[in-house]
Amino acid sequence: MRLQESIIEAVGQVYNYLAENGEVTTKKMQKDLDLDANFTGMSLGWLAREDKIAIERKGAYTKVSLI
């Protein structure tokens, strides 16, 4: 599988996870999905660029949710 295809697959996993779970920390989402930190970051960047997610810093945690 090409790298871009792997990233697109990760984006879908992240989007579906957020649709099912609502606002979560990036750490919890990464653990639950068993994604590499790089794929998590790329997926969140992709979704943020498309204005699909809200990202908020809460203390030591970064929380994300769908818009």
Side-chain angles (χ1 to χ4, degrees):
M1 184 180 301
R2 291 181 23 227
L3 181 58
Q4 187 172 355
E5 291 169 343
S6 297
I7 295 167
I8 292 168
E9 183 178 313
V11 169
Q13 289 177 357
V14 168
Y15 185 90
N16 291 334
Y17 180 86
L18 292 172
E20 292 175 13
N21 295 283
E23 184 180 65
V24 295
T25 64
T26 55
K27 187 170 185 112
K28 177 174 177 22
M29 179 182 62
Q30 182 179 337
K31 180 181 176 191
D32 288 351
L33 291 176
D34 194 28
L35 281 179
D36 178 88
N38 289 327
F39 280 98
T40 302
M42 287 185 276
S43 297
L44 293 173
W46 185 309
L47 292 169
R49 178 73 174 99
E50 292 187 349
D51 293 323
K52 302 284 185 192
I53 59 171
I55 304 171
E56 185 177 350
R57 189 82 175 169
K58 291 189 177 180
Y61 301 100
T62 302
K63 292 200 169 197
V64 294
S65 61
L66 293 180
I67 296 177

